[in-house]
Each structure stands twice: as structure tokens, then as C-alpha cells.
Amino acid sequence: MPEQPSDTGPANNRRNFHRSRYERYRGGPDPLAPPLDLREALDEIGADVMAGSSPRRALRELLRRGTPGLRGLDELRERINRRRNELRKSRNLDGTFDEIRELLENAVLEERKQLARDLDDDARFAEMQIGNLPPSTAAAVSELSDYRWRSPKAREDFEKIRDLLGRELLEQRFAGMKEALQGAGEADRQAITDMLSDLNELLAQHNRGEDTTDSFAGFMTEHGQFFPENPRNTEELVESLAKRSAAAQQFYNSLSAEQRAELDQLAQQAFGSSDLMNALASVDGQLRAARPELDWDGAQGFSGDQPMGMGEAAAAMADLAELDELSEAMSQQYAGADLADIDLDALARQLGEDAAVDARTLQRLEQELRDQGFFERGADGELHLSPKAMRQLGQSVLADIADRLTGRGERATRLSGRLGEPSGATREWAFGDTEPWDVPRTITNAVVRDAGTGRFSRGRPVQLTVGDVAITETEARSQAAVALLVDTSFSMEMEGRWTPMKRTAIALNQLISTRFRTDELQIIAFGREARTIDVGELAGLSPRMEQGTNLHHALLLAQRHLRRFPHATPVVLIVTDGEPTAHLEPSGDAFFYYPPHPQTIGLTVAELDHLSRMGAQITVFRLGDDPGLAMFIDRVARRVGGRVVAPDVDGLGAAVVGDYLRGRRER
């Protein structure tokens, strides 16, 4: 049996080889774009929320101002408006009128020269006719429409007027017609006439709601050369033509009354008859019926010194309309506004690809923030920061405060405990760590590293490097019940202490929930009245015009929290900027009086005494320089054996977290 040819020969390999073809990047999501920094965006949103903005507004403000290296909606909109103003202030609508006037003057001048050389009586009569032309360019062109030119050059210039008018009128509706029809003959003009007739029929059929699939296919087969944008269906054809038609109407609306009168008269001479203008008017009517929502009655004011032809002016009108749409989309001020409303292709046309990339990135940023679950809709229907967002925000705030602590020589917050109970977590060793090694994890790291480099083999000793060493995180064995009392009276907002107070609570919550999970934290907000509050609610809490510092009520709630954990060390941290001016009556109502009422002071001190008898470690963080507050706090601290810390606003978080860590080391 003869041997069969092999399928693995060189020729067959070449035939089966798949070639790759590379093309220029043409827009859309950039596959090489770096991942979005959601952490930085969330930090900015969190800062706005803590300052009193709603999450929805904070997100909108972030998109408006952008981030470092990413232009926001406001800057993009400013560029759009600047381009719009530059276009209007640099151009005018006189281009076609000036060109026609120049052609007419040239034709008349050449004809005068010829008539001066001719000696017959008809020449003298023609001279009288030429010399008595009306001052209006349009009227003169109309009067000369039947004139028998003697000068070939004059006749050529006059025919250029008719040709120019026809091409400009077509250029207003169909891009590229002015150049395409330059020097066109009668056959070319007939093709235009046929196209307009068929287009009118197609548009009428579309406006009647009929199926135009077959009609559109036949129309494009016959006249597709006039539509380089290659629309895929009647809707796309109508969309592109309607915008140019509306721009042509805006051009007409923008002319002065004298210019409109001249254009009406001149248009009848396009290509030597009124047929073209009649056909275009019919097309405009069909398009207006198909897209009545476009700005058909608008007008634009141009005041520059660069003249535009009719086609160029219509394109400028279309650009202005597109810029207006982009500006509105960038504003996001209308009902149902969405970043997806921004036309990225239009933005690239008007401002360049870099602007489209920025807008696309903003769209991605908003979508990623929503998709990653950083927002959730509450029972009130409004957006709120989700627990995931609060954890991320807490990490950032705590990291910032940890930097301050480390700079002051305090213990870094990444340490979970000192030779206490293992937390079950391990991490890479760093210089200065004293925790015990996790030996199995360390050996595993070394083996995996060797296997990855190909050097691992049976019988070969495992070699450790510093990067392999893993240590066991430990947790202090003592449990604490921590009550953080934060003043939410209006003076905190007026003195710029509102956001630092929130950052302090968020940082402490993050530290306890991630590093000291056995501790129990309760946040208590007190103004005229006090209430327990979770960290997410506190982050979004808005300041209220509420007088009163009801520390008495807050201390009662703190005691209730501490009693729930009788075997834990009680810790009370108080952040305030004012003397107690309110207390809770037996009826449950809040009593307020300023200056502080003796009864308010007495009840507040009594509850501090009660906490002292419970063994609570009390620290008061006094904000501001009020001498009355300083005197009250100092006396109370000496009475109950507490500590007083008077940090500046920027150091509040570090002071509270540092005090908590100090107390934990002591415990």
C-alpha cells in the first residue's frame, strides 16, 4: 500500500499558520487603560458626605470636578462653551454673498470691456442695460438671467454664480457636494434631480409609517454615491439628513432681513432654474415632519471677520447645535440625566479624542462605583454609602491617622497585639516586628518561591529569604466596652469641627472592627438630645440648627452600653466643644438653658461619678479655647480621675485613636 503524504509537512504547516493583523486603535474602551482608582474616588466622595453632602450629590460633584489627571464634566463643558464662543466670534455668514458679488462684478466688468470694443447700436443698448442694474446683487443676477452675454469670460463668470448657488444649497444638506459637483455637467445635475425625487418618495413613505426596507435598499443601490456616511437604514439616513437640514434652516434664520430677501431671490437661479430649490424645499419639509424635535426655528449670531459659504455655515450651525447638546449633557441638570447621554463620537469631533477619553473614563468611574457595591438604596429611596464603602473609607481615614500617630512616635495601628492570643491571621515580616513566626506558612512560602523559579527538587534543602518570613498576628486578651460620645451641636459645624469629628469616629470604628474585634464600640451623638448611631449614619449626618449640649443624656446611654458587657473594661471617650447646656428630664424631655443651669451641671457630674464608680477609663477631648469649658472639664477630670486632651482640629483623630491604643496597652 503506497505511503500517504504527511499532513505535518512544512507546506502544510505554512498553510495552517494563522496570521495576525494589527490595526490602529479606533476608540471604545481602551484595553490597555490602567484600572480605575476607585479608592481615591471613594475617599473624595466620603469627604463630601462627611461634610454634609448626600452620597448622590457627592458622586455628582466628583464627576463634575474630576480627579487628578482626569478632567471632570465642568472643565469639559467649559472647553465646549469656549469653542462655541470662538466659532461665533471668528466667523460670519457673508461668504457666499461676497463670492457671488465678486463674480457678478467680474462678469459686468468683462462685459463692459467687450461692449466698448463693439460699435453697433445693440452694444450701446446693452451698455445702458448693464449700467442701470439694480444695486441689489440678487436683483441684478435675476435681471441678467436672460441677458445675452457678448464676452465669453463674462458669460463664464455669470454661470459660475448659478453653479455656485446650486452647489452651496446642496452642500447645506449633503456633505461634500460643493467639491463633488465642481465643473459638473448636465448629466451630473440630472443625477442630483433624480436622487432628490427618489429621496422625497422614500421620506414620504417613511413618514406614513410604511416599511421602507426594500425601498431604502433600492435607493442606496441607485444613489449611494451621494451618501459617503453609508447609513444602514432609513432611520439613520433621516437622522443625518435632518440635522443638516435643520442647520440649513438655522442658517436662513440667522441672516438679516435683507440677506434673506437676497437669498430667496438668488436661490431661484441655482443651476439656472427654480427646480432645485423646489426639490430641496420638499425634502426639508419631509425631514421636518420626521424630526420635529430638532431646533428648526433657532438662530445663531456670528460677529467675526472670517466669512463662510452657505454650506460651510450650515456645517458650523450643525457644530453649534452639537456643542449645545454636549454642553447640556455635561451639565447633567435635566430630569433623568445620565453620563451615558454624552455622545463620545461628537465630543471627539468637537474637542479631540483626549476629551472623549476623559468622558469615557468618567462614565466607567461612575459605573464601577455602582457595580462594585459602594452605594445602596435605602428605605427612603435615596442613595447611601454601603457597608463596603464605609469599610473602604474607614481604611483610608485610619491609614491617614496612623501616619500621624507614627510621626508622633505612637504605635503603628497595623499591630494587632503584643504576644497575646493569635488572631488567626498572618502577614509578611517587617523590620521591628516582635510577633512569633508562623513556621508552616514561612516554609510554604519558600517552597512555592523555589518551585516558581524551577530550582526546587527532592532532597534539596529549603532556603529561606527575608521575604518568605510570615508572622502570626496576635490580639490582646482583654476586652473593652468602648463608648465614643461625639458632640453634634451646631457649634461643631460653625467652628469647622464637624468633619474631623466624623473622621475620628470612622477611624476608631475601623480600628476596632478590624484589629480589636473583641472590643465593643458604641457611638453616641449628642446635641440637644442624645442617641446611639452607627458609623454609616454618622458619616451622612447633616448639621442642624440645634442649640444644646446634652452630655447628661449621652452619659446615660453610655452606661447602658457598658452594662451589656460586665466583664469588659469600660472606656468612655468624649469629644465636645461646649459646656453642658441641656439635660434629660424624668419625663423624657430635654431641658435646655444657657448659660449652663446648675441642675444641668449637677446631673451631668452625677453621671460622670457613676461611670467612675463603674471603673470606666474616661478621656475628654476638649475642642476650642472656651475658658468656661476648660474650667469645667479640668475640674471634672480631677474629680473622676480622667484625662483631658486638648488637640487641634486636625489632630483630633490621632488623639482619640492614640488614647484608645494607649489604654489598650495598659490593659
Side-chain angles (χ1 to χ4, degrees):
M1 183 174 180
E3 184 178 352
Q4 297 296 323
S6 172
D7 289 338
T8 60
N12 210 47
N13 285 341
R14 287 194 298 270
R15 185 171 64 251
N16 293 332
F17 180 75
H18 295 285
R19 295 183 179 275
S20 298
R21 185 173 62 182
Y22 297 90
E23 295 182 353
R24 183 181 179 86
Y25 177 68
R26 301 184 183 279
D30 185 354
L32 301 180
L36 293 172
D37 189 356
L38 298 183
R39 177 174 300 181
E40 181 180 359
L42 189 61
D43 287 349
E44 293 196 32
I45 290 173
D48 285 349
V49 169
M50 287 189 288
S53 293
S54 68
R56 184 188 300 278
R57 181 178 178 183
L59 175 59
R60 186 169 64 246
E61 290 299 314
L62 172 70
L63 297 173
R64 284 183 55 193
R65 65 176 177 261
T67 61
L70 175 62
R71 284 171 293 197
L73 296 176
D74 282 353
E75 185 174 348
L76 291 174
R77 190 183 186 198
E78 181 182 351
R79 289 182 61 190
I80 288 170
N81 292 337
R82 187 163 58 244
R83 170 165 167 73
R84 185 179 184 277
N85 292 335
E86 288 172 355
L87 184 59
R88 294 180 60 185
K89 292 180 180 179
S90 63
R91 314 302 295 272
N92 64 58
L93 305 178
D94 297 334
T96 300
F97 296 102
D98 291 344
E99 197 171 352
I100 291 173
R101 191 175 300 111
E102 183 178 354
L103 287 171
L104 179 62
E105 290 173 354
N106 291 340
V108 169
L109 179 60
E110 291 297 326
E111 184 68 6
R112 286 180 183 276
K113 292 178 182 179
Q114 182 63 46
L115 292 174
R117 292 191 291 268
D118 295 342
L119 303 177
D120 57 283
D121 292 339
D122 290 340
R124 305 288 75 75
F125 180 78
E127 281 182 334
M128 293 176 57
Q129 186 177 358
I130 290 291
N132 289 286
L133 289 174
S136 166
T137 302
V141 170
S142 179
E143 187 168 318
L144 292 172
S145 61
D146 297 326
Y147 179 79
R148 298 181 62 182
W149 299 90
R150 294 194 177 205
S151 166
K153 180 65 170 63
R155 183 184 306 109
E156 181 183 351
D157 285 341
F158 189 77
E159 288 301 323
K160 285 181 180 178
I161 293 175
R162 294 177 167 181
D163 181 68
L164 174 65
L165 283 167
R167 290 188 294 121
E168 289 281 16
L169 288 169
L170 288 168
E171 178 73 15
Q172 285 187 312
R173 279 85 172 173
F174 308 94
M177 282 289 193
K178 184 176 181 180
E179 277 68 33
L181 291 178
Q182 190 167 11
E186 191 59 37
D188 299 310
R189 294 173 182 172
Q190 185 59 47
I192 291 292
T193 300
D194 295 340
M195 183 273 290
L196 291 174
S197 176
D198 293 345
L199 178 60
N200 266 308
E201 292 182 10
L202 176 65
L203 295 176
Q205 186 179 356
H206 172 269
N207 288 344
R208 290 194 298 268
E210 300 175 10
D211 183 7
T212 60
T213 304
D214 295 338
S215 300
F216 174 79
F219 176 83
M220 291 302 294
T221 300
E222 183 71 22
H223 307 294
Q225 70 273 19
F226 296 114
F227 304 92
E229 62 272 18
N230 195 26
R232 294 172 296 180
N233 49 51
T234 307
E235 282 294 335
E236 289 189 5
L237 176 66
V238 168
E239 189 68 26
S240 62
L241 290 180
K243 288 183 177 179
R244 292 191 68 90
S245 179
Q249 183 61 47
Q250 285 190 20
F251 165 80
Y252 183 83
N253 299 340
S254 302
L255 297 174
S256 65
E258 294 78 7
Q259 287 176 319
R260 284 198 295 270
E262 283 212 6
L263 181 58
D264 290 340
Q265 196 168 2
L266 285 170
Q268 303 304 315
Q269 300 297 321
F271 290 151
S273 73
S274 60
D275 294 344
L276 175 64
M277 194 62 204
N278 293 336
L280 289 176
S282 180
V283 169
D284 289 344
Q286 296 284 5
L287 292 172
R288 186 163 189 163
R291 292 291 184 273
E293 71 278 5
L294 296 179
D295 188 8
W296 296 89
D297 299 320
Q300 301 287 351
F302 291 87
S303 57
D305 54 6
Q306 300 178 32
M308 295 182 291
M310 291 167 56
E312 189 181 2
M317 296 289 178
D319 282 343
L320 289 173
E322 194 166 71
L323 288 167
D324 285 341
E325 292 176 2
L326 286 171
S327 180
E328 183 180 15
M330 293 292 179
S331 74
Q332 295 287 290
Q333 297 297 315
Y334 51 93
D338 194 304
L339 286 189
D341 299 340
I342 299 173
D343 187 335
L344 298 178
D345 292 334
L347 189 60
R349 281 194 299 272
Q350 298 298 337
L351 298 185
E353 187 61 36
D354 62 324
V357 169
D358 285 339
R360 186 184 296 114
T361 304
L362 288 173
Q363 291 176 343
R364 286 178 55 211
L365 178 61
E366 180 188 36
Q367 193 62 44
E368 284 293 321
L369 285 170
R370 294 180 184 273
D371 291 347
Q372 292 294 328
F374 290 122
F375 297 96
E376 62 183 11
R377 197 168 297 281
D380 55 1
E382 293 296 324
L383 285 182
H384 298 276
L385 293 180
S386 67
K388 179 179 180 180
M390 290 307 305
R391 287 193 298 271
Q392 181 69 61
L393 185 60
Q395 290 174 10
S396 297
V397 174
L398 183 58
D400 179 58
I401 290 176
D403 289 341
R404 295 174 181 270
L405 283 172
T406 305
R408 291 168 44 193
E410 300 279 359
R411 174 188 141 185
T413 59
R414 61 182 175 83
L415 300 181
S416 299
R418 297 259 185 206
L419 302 178
E421 184 177 351
S423 67
T426 62
R427 59 177 172 80
E428 184 179 345
W429 177 87
F431 179 78
D433 283 333
T434 60
E435 285 82 358
W437 285 22
D438 185 329
V439 177
R441 171 60 63 184
T442 300
I443 300 296
T444 300
N445 290 342
V447 171
V448 170
R449 176 178 51 77
D450 275 357
T453 58
R455 294 196 299 267
F456 178 78
S457 61
R458 186 181 300 274
R460 181 177 181 272
V462 176
Q463 296 183 353
L464 299 180
T465 67
V466 172
D468 298 326
V469 177
I471 64 172
T472 301
E473 289 190 337
T474 60
E475 238 176 25
R477 292 189 177 91
S478 62
Q479 181 190 27
V482 184
L484 175 62
L485 283 56
V486 290
D487 189 343
T488 57
S489 60
F490 193 68
S491 61
M492 292 284 285
E493 164 66 13
M494 292 187 64
E495 299 298 331
R497 299 161 185 153
W498 190 259
T499 298
M501 173 269 292
K502 290 184 177 182
R503 287 174 57 85
T504 299
I506 290 173
L508 187 60
N509 178 79
Q510 179 70 17
L511 179 63
I512 291 176
S513 63
T514 58
R515 301 297 186 184
F516 302 103
R517 297 184 180 90
T518 60
D519 287 1
E520 298 290 342
L521 173 66
Q522 178 73 74
I523 301 174
I524 300 171
F526 62 97
R528 178 166 293 202
E529 295 178 340
R531 63 188 178 104
T532 59
I533 188 171
D534 63 51
V535 70
E537 186 180 358
L538 177 64
L541 186 66
S542 298
R544 294 184 295 176
M545 284 290 295
E546 181 181 71
Q547 291 180 311
T549 304
N550 198 338
L551 180 58
H552 170 249
H553 191 186
L555 294 171
L556 290 173
L557 295 178
Q559 292 172 34
R560 186 171 66 182
H561 170 65
L562 300 180
R563 290 193 191 97
R564 287 202 295 265
F565 307 97
H567 301 295
T569 301
V571 178
V572 178
L573 308 173
I574 304 170
V575 178
T576 185
D577 70 346
E579 297 177 78
T581 56
H583 66 265
L584 197 66
E585 296 276 25
S587 63
D589 296 328
F591 171 86
F592 165 75
Y593 192 84
Y594 185 85
H597 195 279
Q599 185 180 7
T600 299
I601 297 296
L603 289 172
T604 302
V605 171
E607 297 309 325
L608 285 167
D609 288 342
H610 193 173
L611 284 170
S612 179
R613 289 193 295 272
M614 293 175 66
Q617 301 173 5
I618 302 173
T619 304
V620 181
F621 300 89
R622 174 173 58 80
L623 302 178
D625 299 321
D626 180 17
L629 174 64
M631 182 181 300
F632 171 77
I633 295 298
D634 289 342
R635 288 180 177 178
V636 166
R638 286 196 297 269
R639 180 185 180 98
V640 299
R643 297 179 66 244
V644 178
V645 180
D648 57 31
V649 172
D650 292 336
L652 175 62
V656 173
V657 171
D659 185 82
Y660 168 77
L661 291 172
R662 181 193 60 79
R664 229 184 181 291
R665 285 198 299 272
E666 293 175 356
R667 293 194 297 275

